Structures are given as structure tokens and as C-alpha cells.
């Protein structure tokens, strides 16, 4: 087994290789505006570090979000392209689940990432492997009662300390954690999410409804 994992649902552009037992190479960089520029070089770096070619990969793991429209689709399109070219499966994993897995907590907690617009993408967990709620997008003050008293993981929690006073690491998702979680799920015969974007809301950029026509008649 050699899994190539990637995630671009958050400002972290991250890629990793996992051989079924451990992470053999990983590259991450935090840059909210350059997902398209940074992902393929990250993949090249992990392949070079591991000393393997792309055709050695037996499966693709990709974070499906939730996340902003532009960044999220970079990872999903790249994953689908690699899977098609190599003839290997692509496994979707909720990005929040990757953060939860990396946190490694064995108590109830919440994961929150930055959704912009003064909102967070979030979900509650019983432990690092058990999500209790669907991923949602809300203003922190609207969910303060639901998350009260719970440790919180992720960059979204750090942005709103009034709602998430007890913050824990990690701040950003890791492709290594996604890959390790996927390897566990494969070994256990568990199902994966479809490699489709989990947006939860409409994209920020939209075509104006009543735009002015400037072309000649």
C-alpha cells in the first residue's frame, strides 16, 4: 500500500505519503491564496523524499472539506486527475475528521476551522475517531451553548476565544493525519466519503443578477 494524501480545504496546502504503517513523507505550507501553485510542488517533494515515482501510488486520499470554494476544489480536482491517470481509487475524508484524528483526544471535543464571514466550519466529536454531528457552518456566538465546556481544535477556534476558551492543537489539517486515518479505515473495511466538495454554502464570488450589458447591440 502507498497512499498519496492531500488537502486544500483550509489555508494549509498539505500532501503526504503513507505506506500502510506510517507516514513516509509529508509537506505542508500555510497560504490561503496559493493552493493551485503550491499543491503539485508539495506532491513532487513528498515523492522525492520517499524516493518513489507517482506510479507507485496505490490510492489517493483527499480532504473533502468543508472549506471555501476556490481552495477546496484544487485538491479535489488534483486527486481525481491523479486517480484517473493511475487507475487507482480516490477516498474522500472530511477535513474536520483529519484534524480530530491528529488531535488524538479521548474525550468529547469540537473541531472548528475558519469559514470566513465571521463564521466557522465545525463538528463535535466523542473522541479522535468518532464524529457525533454533521459538519456545519455557523457564527461562533450562535453555537456557544452547544460547545460550552468542550476543548476545541483548529484555527477557527483560535479566532474566537469567547466561544472556544479551551483551545488545543493542531491548528491546521495535516495530510499525514488524513492518510493515517484512511489507512486505518481501509484496514477496518470502513466506507469513505465520495470525493465531492463539502461546501455547506454558496461560493463568495457570484455572477451579479442585474449586471450592465456593455457589448454593442
Amino acid at each position: 500500500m502507498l497512499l498519496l494524501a492531500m488537502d486544500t480545504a483550509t489555508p494549509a496546502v498539505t500532501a503526504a505519503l503513507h505506506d500502510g504503517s506510517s507516514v513516509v513523507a509529508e509537506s505542508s505550507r500555510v497560504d490561503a491564496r496559493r493552493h493551485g501553485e503550491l499543491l503539485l510542488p508539495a506532491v513532487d517533494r513528498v515523492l522525492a523524499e520517499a524516493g518513489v515515482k507517482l506510479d507507485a501510488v496505490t490510492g489517493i486520499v483527499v480532504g473533502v472539506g468543508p472549506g471555501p470554494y476556490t481552495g477546496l476544489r484544487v485538491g479535489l480536482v488534483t486527486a481525481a486527475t491523479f486517480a484517473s491517470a493511475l487507475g487507482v481509487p480516490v477516498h474522500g475524508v472530511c477535513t474536520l475528521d483529519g484534524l480530530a484524528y491528529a488531535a488524538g483526544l479521548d474525550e468529547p471535543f469540537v473541531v472548528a476551522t475558519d469559514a470566513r464571514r465571521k463564521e466557522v466550519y465545525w463538528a463535535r466529536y466523542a473522541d479522535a475517531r468518532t464524529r457525533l454531528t454533521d459538519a456545519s457552518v455557523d457564527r461562533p456566538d450562535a453555537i456557544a451553548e452547544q460547545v460550552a465546556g468542550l476543548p476545541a481544535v483548529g484555527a477557527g477556534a483560535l479566532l474566537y476565544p469567547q466561544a472556544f476558551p479551551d483551545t488545543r492543537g493542531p491548528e491546521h489539517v495535516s495530510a499525514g493525519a488524513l492518510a493515517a486515518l484512511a489507512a486505518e479505515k481501509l484496514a477496518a473495511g470502513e466506507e469513505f466519503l465520495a470525493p465531492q466538495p463539502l461546501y455547506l454554502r454558496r461560493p463568495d464570488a457570484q455572477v451579479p443578477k442585474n449586471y450592465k450589458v456593455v457589448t454593442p447591440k
Side-chain angles (χ1 to χ4, degrees), residues 17 23-27 43-52:
L17 286 170
V23 175
V24 295
E26 183 171 8
S27 175
V43 172
D44 286 342
R45 279 194 297 274
V46 298
L47 291 170
E49 182 180 337
V52 299

Side-chain angles (χ1 to χ4, degrees), residues 51-70:
V52 299
K53 301 293 186 182
L54 183 60
D55 59 10
V57 169
T58 61
I60 309 293
V61 179
V62 63
V64 302
Y69 178 80
T70 303

Side-chain angles (χ1 to χ4, degrees), residues 18-39:
H18 195 286
D19 64 5
S21 299
S22 62
V23 175
V24 295
E26 183 171 8
S27 175
S28 295
R29 181 168 175 180
V30 178
D31 191 324
R33 298 181 179 276
R34 300 176 61 210
H35 295 85
E37 297 175 47
L38 297 175
L39 181 57

Side-chain angles (χ1 to χ4, degrees), residues 20-154:
S21 299
S22 62
V23 175
V24 295
E26 183 171 8
S27 175
S28 295
R29 181 168 175 180
V30 178
D31 191 324
R33 298 181 179 276
R34 300 176 61 210
H35 295 85
E37 297 175 47
L38 297 175
L39 181 57
L40 289 179
V43 172
D44 286 342
R45 279 194 297 274
V46 298
L47 291 170
E49 182 180 337
V52 299
K53 301 293 186 182
L54 183 60
D55 59 10
V57 169
T58 61
I60 309 293
V61 179
V62 63
V64 302
Y69 178 80
T70 303
L72 178 54
R73 65 179 179 174
V74 169
L76 287 161
V77 169
T78 302
T81 301
F82 281 153
S84 177
L86 297 171
V88 300
V90 56
H91 309 294
V93 178
C94 176
T95 297
L96 302 182
D97 290 355
L99 269 163
Y101 184 84
L105 300 178
D106 59 0
E107 60 183 304
F109 66 103
V110 61
V111 173
T113 60
D114 183 16
R116 305 173 187 172
R117 305 185 193 177
K118 298 181 180 180
E119 294 178 329
V120 292
Y121 299 117
W122 70 284
R124 287 183 58 176
Y125 290 80
D127 54 50
R129 283 278 272 120
T130 310
R131 178 155 44 88
L132 298 174
T133 64
D134 290 335
S136 302
V137 58
D138 290 288
R139 286 182 174 270
D141 57 358
I143 61 171
E145 291 187 6
Q146 298 178 62
V147 303
L150 295 176
V153 173

Side-chain angles (χ1 to χ4, degrees), residues 13 16 55 58 61 75 85 102 104 120 123 137 144 151 156 163-164 183 199-200 211-212 214:
V13 181
D55 59 10
T58 61
V61 179
V120 292
V137 58
F164 307 103
Y199 291 132
L200 300 187
Y211 58 89
K212 182 179 180 180
V214 295

